[in-house]
Amino acid sequence: MKIAAGGPRTEPRPLRSAAAAPGGAALAMNRGFTRKSHTFLPKIFRKMSTQSSKERPENLQFSFLDDDATISTVKESKTLFIIRGLPGSGKSTLAQAIQDQYKDACKIISADTNKIIPAIRSSIPEDYSKLDEDLVDYCKRDISVVVVDDTHHERERLDQLFDIADKYQYKVLFVEPKTPWKMDCLQLKDKNQWKLSVEDLKKMKPSLEKDFLPLYYGWFLSKKSSENLRKTGQAFLDELGSLKVFKKESKYFLPAEDPKVKLDLTSYFAKRPPGVLHCTTKFTDFGKAMGADEYAQQEVVKASYGKAFTLTISALFLTTKTAGARVELSEQELLLWPGDVDKILPTDNLPKGSRAHITLGCASGIEPVQTGIDLLEFVKLEKAGNKGDDIEEVGGGKLQYFGNGMWMLLLSKKIEVKALFSGYYGKGKLVPTQGSNKRGSAFNPCTII
């Protein structure tokens, strides 16, 4: 084991169970789990946990270091690892372990290397400007794995990182050391390189003990999977827009005062959610939403955080408000799905997972949450016996029309996409779907005449 920047080499002690572990940010959830310590988890998760557990000390067992599927997904993604914890807790050792796993695909940015002394501050020091220059440079170069090693005890500083992640479409993973002493200020006094006192450490401790919940949890697609799904969505728009039957029904997309205007579907779906394409599971509003804490504390959520999944896309759909992809959840994925989101009205009784979707675009003035509501409208029609009118076989499958501008393409070959289960921590502001840079848009221009 390499020496951590936060202190001298120390042999790892046995890690306490997740329930007994002291403190820690709630979103550093990927707490290496084993058959013995998590016998209450579903078997499918226990099976996933044992791949390389014997190859590392227990305090370095993370899915992004040991699980082959997760490592593969991270390599084809753009991921910003935010390592969080008190000085001397083992952050630099963890950062080095990530570097060792991903090698040339990984870059580490360290506050310690930049001589930024951790402390309680009234404002973020200018010293971070050089660190952020390096971060932006790596993001511009599309480095697959970027690790920021710092205490990250200040929300203002984290918001700066979230903005950069949004701008360059990086998914964020919060991780913290699993060392037994990570919240023990007496031990950390001797381990931290800055010679901080117990009192100094105790001042930072409360902000690192508090749960840090995202705006929402979900599965965030790899860069490769995102690009493939966007291309498929673009092909759907292109083909749909060329069909005479769609042109006859395009009145639902046109302003009543000027029904003869040219319809550009890409301009019509002018916005998309920020960051990478994703399938939301739970909206937590940074802990303020109803049921947020209960969801975040579920063992299956903690165990899955930072782990790879393969989602199945069964259909693409389009309404006058949104364009999206319908996600078919597996038994394993349904364990992460809340039980109260698959309804529009309180009386609705729809199958669990009915709302699972990926938003590809939104019409002007429409929020991404509408995509899930639109999909539930399709599901309600299907449940009522309305399977839609079969229009014709197109390139990707069978096209159906449900009336009122509601179109669905049932894919003849379902699409599998790789994704990491994580959280979105940014501001959530919609961004344009059109763009000329390579980070690019969900759709390219498509005009219906």
Side-chain angles (χ1 to χ4, degrees):
M1 180 186 296
K2 295 184 181 294
I3 297 175
R9 172 174 172 163
T10 304
E11 292 302 317
R13 302 178 184 180
L15 187 65
R16 284 176 257 180
S17 68
L27 285 195
M29 291 184 185
N30 200 22
R31 311 276 190 197
F33 49 101
T34 64
R35 290 181 185 272
K36 182 176 179 181
S37 62
H38 288 271
T39 54
F40 49 87
L41 283 179
K43 289 183 179 179
I44 190 164
F45 278 94
R46 284 185 267 139
K47 182 178 180 181
M48 291 166 65
S49 70
T50 59
Q51 280 198 343
S52 303
S53 60
K54 295 181 180 179
E55 298 176 12
R56 298 180 186 277
E58 193 170 359
N59 63 8
L60 284 177
Q61 289 177 20
F62 293 87
S63 58
F64 53 79
L65 295 178
D66 297 326
D67 179 64
D68 289 342
T70 301
I71 292 169
S72 173
T73 301
V74 170
K75 285 181 176 179
E76 65 176 55
S77 303
K78 296 196 298 182
T79 306
L80 177 63
F81 284 85
I82 296 179
I83 301 184
R84 192 170 187 246
L86 287 168
S89 60
K91 300 185 301 298
S92 297
T93 299
L94 177 54
Q96 187 60 52
I98 297 173
Q99 172 80 77
D100 292 343
Q101 175 60 255
Y102 295 96
K103 298 181 173 59
D104 292 342
C106 173
K107 296 292 184 182
I108 296 176
I109 299 172
S110 170
D112 288 347
T113 302
N114 284 270
K115 307 301 181 185
I116 301 174
I117 301 175
I120 296 297
R121 299 168 283 225
S122 58
S123 62
I124 303 302
E126 283 297 317
D127 297 344
Y128 278 102
S129 59
K130 174 61 172 67
L131 187 152
D132 287 347
E133 286 177 10
D134 291 340
L135 175 58
V136 168
D137 176 61
Y138 295 148
C139 290
K140 286 181 175 178
R141 290 160 52 189
D142 285 346
I143 300 298
S144 295
V145 177
V146 181
V147 180
V148 183
D149 173 11
D150 194 6
T151 53
H152 291 124
H153 61 284
E154 297 157 304
R155 178 59 191 260
E156 182 183 354
R157 174 60 190 152
L158 289 172
D159 283 341
Q160 293 174 348
L161 296 178
F162 300 151
D163 287 345
I164 294 172
D166 264 4
K167 183 175 181 178
Y168 296 99
Q169 294 190 40
Y170 274 71
K171 60 174 65 69
V172 170
L173 280 182
F174 263 100
V175 291
E176 69 176 38
K178 298 178 182 179
T179 50
W181 62 85
K182 66 180 181 180
M183 288 292 171
D184 187 334
C185 293
L186 286 173
Q187 290 195 61
L188 292 171
K189 177 180 73 70
D190 298 325
K191 293 179 181 293
N192 81 86
Q193 70 170 2
W194 300 109
K195 307 301 181 185
L196 299 178
S197 67
V198 171
E199 289 70 28
D200 292 331
L201 294 164
K202 283 184 175 179
K203 289 177 183 177
M204 285 184 280
K205 184 176 177 179
S207 61
L208 292 168
E209 287 179 316
K210 292 171 61 177
D211 291 352
F212 195 98
L213 271 60
L215 183 62
Y216 51 80
Y217 285 93
W219 293 283
F220 295 80
L221 274 61
S222 71
K223 179 184 176 184
K224 183 177 179 181
S225 289
S226 291
E227 290 171 350
N228 289 340
L229 182 56
R230 282 173 174 149
K231 289 177 182 177
T232 302
Q234 181 68 62
F236 174 47
L237 283 187
D238 290 344
E239 188 153 19
L240 183 63
S242 69
L243 298 177
K244 291 182 179 179
V245 65
F246 180 79
K247 293 177 182 178
K248 290 180 181 178
E249 295 294 317
S250 63
K251 60 186 178 184
Y252 294 102
F253 296 84
L254 298 172
E257 64 274 12
D258 193 4
K260 293 184 178 180
V261 68
K262 292 181 179 180
L263 176 61
D264 176 351
L265 281 181
T266 304
S267 297
Y268 186 87
F269 296 110
K271 298 289 185 178
R272 63 167 177 80
V276 300
L277 293 180
H278 66 275
C279 175
T280 301
T281 57
K282 175 69 175 177
F283 176 75
T284 48
D285 195 15
F286 307 110
K288 293 179 285 187
M290 184 178 297
D293 288 328
E294 291 81 357
Y295 180 82
Q297 293 306 315
Q298 290 182 60
E299 282 300 325
V300 68
V301 174
K302 293 180 182 180
S304 301
Y305 186 85
K307 187 175 289 294
F309 290 78
T310 300
L311 302 181
T312 300
I313 310 297
S314 62
L316 303 176
F317 61 92
L318 182 142
T319 72
T320 58
K321 298 176 181 178
T322 63
R326 187 175 190 173
V327 178
E328 227 174 60
L329 298 179
S330 67
E331 177 185 348
Q332 172 191 344
E333 291 151 4
L334 282 170
L335 296 172
L336 293 163
W337 194 255
D340 59 350
V341 296
D342 298 306
K343 56 181 65 180
I344 300 174
L345 301 174
T347 54
D348 288 342
N349 183 23
L350 301 174
K352 188 175 183 180
S354 292
R355 190 174 182 152
H357 69 279
I358 296 169
T359 298
L360 298 176
C362 298
S364 178
I366 302 298
E367 294 297 320
V369 67
Q370 183 65 43
T371 316
I373 296 172
D374 285 355
L375 178 55
L376 290 178
E377 293 287 4
F378 281 103
V379 177
K380 289 180 71 172
L381 289 171
E382 291 172 345
K383 187 178 180 183
N386 180 358
K387 302 296 183 180
D389 295 330
D390 291 340
I391 302 303
E392 59 182 275
E393 293 285 337
V394 296
K398 182 188 295 184
L399 182 64
Q400 296 180 325
Y401 185 51
F402 290 76
N404 299 314
M406 297 175 65
W407 300 84
M408 181 171 284
L409 176 66
L410 300 178
L411 297 172
S412 54
K413 184 178 181 181
K414 295 177 181 179
I415 301 170
E416 291 189 341
V417 294
K418 292 183 178 181
L420 292 177
F421 182 74
S422 181
Y424 172 77
Y425 302 90
K427 296 181 176 65
K429 295 181 179 178
L430 293 175
V431 296
T433 56
Q434 297 186 60
S436 58
N437 60 54
K438 65 180 180 180
R439 288 181 297 278
S441 62
F443 303 124
N444 294 316
C446 165
T447 304
I448 301 168
I449 301 176

